[in-house]
Amino acid sequence: MEEVTIRTIAQRANVSHTTVSRALNDSPLVKEATKKKIRQLADDLGYVPNLNAKGLVEQRSFLIGVFFSDLDTGTSPSFLVDVIKRARDFLPKGYSLSLDSVESLSASGTVSRHQYDGAIVVSQSKKDDPFIETLIKRRLPIVVLNRKIDRDDVSNFSTNDYLGAKKILEYAIRMGHRQFGIIGGATSFVSAADRRQGFDDVIRENGAETRPEWQRQGNYLPESGYQAMRDILGAAETPTCIFATNDDMATGAVRACQDLGYKVPADISIIGYDDMNYSKYLVPRLTTVRKPTDSIVQEGVSALTELLSNPAMAPVKKVAEPTLIVRDSVKDLRK
Amino acid sequence: MEEVTIRTIAQRANVSHTTVSRALNDSPLVKEATKKKIRQLADDLGYVPNLNAKGLVEQRSFLIGVFFSDLDTGTSPSFLVDVIKRARDFLPKGYSLSLDSVESLSASGTVSRHQYDGAIVVSQSKKDDPFIETLIKRRLPIVVLNRKIDRDDVSNFSTNDYLGAKKILEYAIRMGHRQFGIIGGATSFVSAADRRQGFDDVIRENGAETRPEWQRQGNYLPESGYQAMRDILGAAETPTCIFATNDDMATGAVRACQDLGYKVPADISIIGYDDMNYSKYLVPRLTTVRKPTDSIVQEGVSALTELLSNPAMAPVKKVAEPTLIVRDSVKDLRK
DNA sequence: TAAGTGAGTGTAACCGTGAACATCTTAATG
DNA sequence: CATTAAGATGTTCACGGTTACACTCACTTA
């Protein structure tokens, strides 16, 4: 069972392989009748083009690289799947999606122009910058999603986590809260730093209170939220509201309250971030912040698509606004 | 800025490109001193091999395809990410992972021997069978994960969902429950059918009761669990225990109970399936079933790795046993 | 009627790498 | 010192496509 190549077809059709190549690429140089015959033959023989050969001569790979900061923690699986899904739907046909983590590829250092035709970097951390720099140097069409980056020669779609944190904390302030705790995310993540900054600023601007013993470091997983909350509740006094910087940690935090006999939100309020798909079904329903992930991914992929056909395209930047989602996990203290 | 090829290096080193090729592939035919010099030069020039050329002559693609039944529903994102992560860790270096859905590829029909060096099919549904058949026909090294398939010429790693369902329902029976409802998953999913079968068998074998109005169809998303539960609670009488066939739907179901004034598990018990990462932090903690996902993925990827180096390897089959996870969402009616 | 035109097809080179085979060096052997 | 074997390197071709250029042939056109 030999592989079918354009030469196999050429032989059968009594033409040169060049004609076959042209026919299959719908070149205007070939007579319509010839095209038809050749296409039919290709179909019958089950011809599939060899992308290595094609790529070799055309200097492309038919691969779009999708790179995540880190596959182990922090990147929400659902976000990842979202990116893949959208990318598949919006990218021109013929491209495959190749997945890897920035981390592992920075190490091996083998990312080059002819390995990928383009790249989507879903970045969480400033640590990715050298990697991004490398891609740009190699003139790889690229978009950076999720995190706002400083350089202006790259298309970049992100959400304003700082603003999201401010919005939700100001809401808590409006509900009468004055004493706040926080369960932070991994320090290397820009999102975590931004949310923290929003927290700090709202506290300061409103003369609210926070204390070191009300602040704990988590890692975006439920376990860490649970543990952090237990620690905080061990303090002599407790705040009235806790900002868990993502919904997974908020879930763990709620559980910790339950275990120690605190009712949420009656005894203590908890706010989350990200509006996970199950957050509105928790007990209590989580008050949280929704990032416009869909539009980010969608616009990002569209930008890359355009970039692929027009490498000289001016970079597009967009910082999308998060939405406050008010549900039941924050108590109204004014009543 | 020309691309660096082995000929560029050859010129600089005053050797032929063949020698460079051999040196970089660590052939014993080349003197140690020459190798060293060439490697140094390659490094300095930032040489990256052209995989298209390499693949063209070696008849490979350096790509492992990871195929999911359907990216939109049913495949839990965390499972997908798990597969990717493991595959990256266990596959030999040099391979990239390419992601796609069975659905979209069956349509285009362009999966061929020289597009992928191997494939991991994460299958949910019997609908994938023709696709799997195609891959096998094209002699592509392949493993099928997640679902048990009938043919014996393919390595296959799955979990016994039927047994998992039996285990957890028998536990509920032991706790004194006799009236059961069920919220099923997407009908096309084998996992959903198996869990359903386990449910039916336990009911029958133990002379327990279920009724049409206690049975609803969901789609594995929280929303559907919520809706299904509301429906069930609308019946004149209600069962004492509901089997939500995954944890996401169980989460929605718990919420529905809450909204309608039923306490879980005091008034009604709910059991889940899958043991999601947040399930042990819910209120109440979910009693559920854990699939040994890790070992499945790990062994599956190992099998593929072996298959890549030895295409004649005998197929490996394994059906892993799920574990019952008892927590707080089932009431002990015997007390 | 010879030359020009353009549509349709073929020839040959090329993309970057690996490998069969040829060639050249060097050391070992009698 | 001539002969040989082994070691090191070079030459050439192949992989399966695309493309610049050459060619054929029928049809215009002056």
Side-chain angles (χ1 to χ4, degrees), chain A residues 4 19 40 60 64 71 75 109 119 163 167 172 180 196 205 208 211 228 233 235 243 245 249 252 271 276 303:
Chain A
V4 178
T19 302
Q40 181 61 49
R60 32 200 236 113
I64 301 293
L71 279 170
T75 300
L163 181 63
K167 274 188 177 177
F180 292 88
R196 173 63 197 243
E205 289 165 9
R211 302 183 192 171
L233 292 177
F243 178 29
T245 51
M249 292 197 297
I271 54 191
M276 302 275 189

Side-chain angles (χ1 to χ4, degrees), chain B residues 10-129:
Chain B
Q11 222 172 356
R12 298 284 183 99
N14 265 322
V15 295
S16 74
H17 79 272
T18 309
T19 302
V20 175
S21 168
R22 286 199 270 248
L24 295 177
N25 289 320
D26 201 19
S27 152
L29 293 176
V30 179
K31 231 193 324 192
E32 211 43 61
T34 320
K35 275 190 199 174
K36 206 164 182 176
K37 185 176 70 176
I38 291 176
R39 285 194 193 125
Q40 181 61 49
L41 214 45
D43 246 29
D44 294 350
L45 295 173
Y47 169 74
V48 180
N50 184 319
L51 293 187
N52 278 327
K54 205 165 187 150
L56 179 57
V57 59
E58 292 182 0
Q59 306 279 26
R60 32 201 236 110
S61 62
F62 305 97
L63 263 194
I64 301 293
V66 179
F67 303 102
F68 283 78
S69 295
D70 180 350
L71 278 169
D72 291 320
T73 63
T75 299
S76 118
S78 56
F79 184 62
L80 190 153
V81 171
D82 236 45
V83 171
I84 312 244
K85 229 161 39 184
R86 295 277 173 185
R88 265 206 334 109
D89 293 346
F90 285 87
L91 280 175
K93 285 295 150 218
Y95 286 106
S96 289
L97 289 179
S98 164
L99 252 159
D100 225 314
S101 73
V102 170
E103 188 200 13
S104 70
L105 273 177
S106 306
S108 70
T110 45
V111 187
S112 94
R113 188 69 186 72
H114 45 252
Q115 297 210 28
Y116 301 100
D117 291 338
I120 299 173
V121 181
V122 180
S123 179
Q124 300 271 19
S125 159
K126 285 205 165 146
K127 289 185 200 156
D128 303 339
D129 283 347

Side-chain angles (χ1 to χ4, degrees), chain A residues 55-322:
Chain A
L56 180 56
V57 57
E58 291 183 359
Q59 306 280 28
R60 32 200 236 113
S61 61
F62 305 97
L63 264 194
I64 301 293
V66 179
F67 302 102
F68 282 78
S69 294
D70 180 350
L71 279 170
D72 291 320
T73 61
T75 300
S76 121
S78 55
F79 184 62
L80 189 154
V81 171
D82 236 45
V83 172
I84 312 258
K85 230 161 38 185
R86 295 276 173 188
R88 265 203 338 107
D89 293 345
F90 286 87
L91 281 174
K93 284 296 149 215
Y95 286 106
S96 289
L97 289 178
S98 166
L99 251 159
D100 225 314
S101 72
V102 170
E103 187 200 14
S104 71
L105 273 176
S106 306
S108 69
T110 47
V111 187
S112 91
R113 190 67 187 74
H114 46 252
Q115 296 209 26
Y116 301 100
D117 291 340
I120 299 173
V121 181
V122 180
S123 179
Q124 300 272 18
S125 160
K126 285 203 167 152
K127 289 185 197 157
D128 303 338
D129 282 349
F131 178 76
I132 294 171
E133 171 91 28
T134 307
L135 296 186
I136 295 172
K137 261 203 198 131
R138 308 226 171 150
R139 308 245 197 83
L140 201 66
I142 174 188
V143 295
V144 177
L145 305 188
N146 203 48
R147 176 175 72 96
K148 184 158 177 283
I149 58 173
D150 294 330
R151 48 192 315 153
D152 53 4
D153 53 353
V154 180
S155 288
N156 182 206
F157 299 83
S158 58
T159 50
N160 194 335
D161 280 352
Y162 170 76
L163 181 63
K166 276 196 95 163
K167 274 188 177 177
I168 198 163
L169 281 152
E170 279 164 356
Y171 164 76
I173 293 273
R174 286 200 300 281
M175 290 297 113
H177 291 269
R178 287 296 173 272
Q179 300 182 303
F180 292 88
I182 184 171
I183 304 177
T187 43
S188 63
F189 287 6
V190 173
S191 65
D194 286 353
R195 293 171 197 187
R196 173 63 197 243
Q197 190 63 50
F199 173 84
D200 287 344
D201 286 1
V202 170
I203 298 283
R204 190 172 30 72
E205 289 165 9
N206 293 276
E209 183 188 2
T210 183
R211 302 183 192 171
E213 64 265 32
W214 295 346
Q215 304 172 5
R216 284 291 178 281
Q217 192 62 42
N219 64 4
Y220 279 168
L221 294 177
E223 283 75 13
S224 71
Y226 181 80
Q227 206 47 59
M229 194 68 200
R230 287 196 75 115
D231 285 358
I232 293 174
L233 292 177
E237 275 183 87
T238 55
T240 63
C241 181
I242 298 284
F243 178 29
T245 51
N246 82 345
D247 285 359
D248 268 342
M249 292 197 297
T251 306
V254 168
R255 182 71 236 178
C257 293
Q258 197 83 8
D259 286 357
L260 296 176
Y262 291 81
K263 288 216 157 53
V264 181
D267 302 330
I268 190 162
S269 296
I270 292 183
I271 54 191
Y273 205 108
D274 284 348
D275 192 29
M276 302 275 189
N277 71 344
Y278 59 84
S279 300
K280 68 191 272 204
Y281 297 101
L282 294 177
V283 182
R285 293 178 179 85
L286 274 184
T287 290
T288 184
V289 176
R290 174 153 54 224
K291 301 191 289 182
T293 305
D294 273 10
S295 71
I296 284 187
V297 173
Q298 188 170 329
E299 293 178 45
V301 172
S302 302
L304 182 61
T305 304
E306 211 181 315
L307 202 54
L308 288 173
S309 55
N310 171 22
M313 186 186 91
V316 183
K317 312 226 143 229
K318 179 160 175 190
V319 179
E321 281 222 3

Side-chain angles (χ1 to χ4, degrees), chain B residues 177 238-241 257 260-269 331 333:
Chain B
H177 290 269
T238 56
T240 63
C241 181
C257 293
L260 296 176
Y262 291 81
K263 287 217 158 54
V264 182
D267 301 331
I268 191 162
S269 296
K331 185 180 183 185
L333 294 180

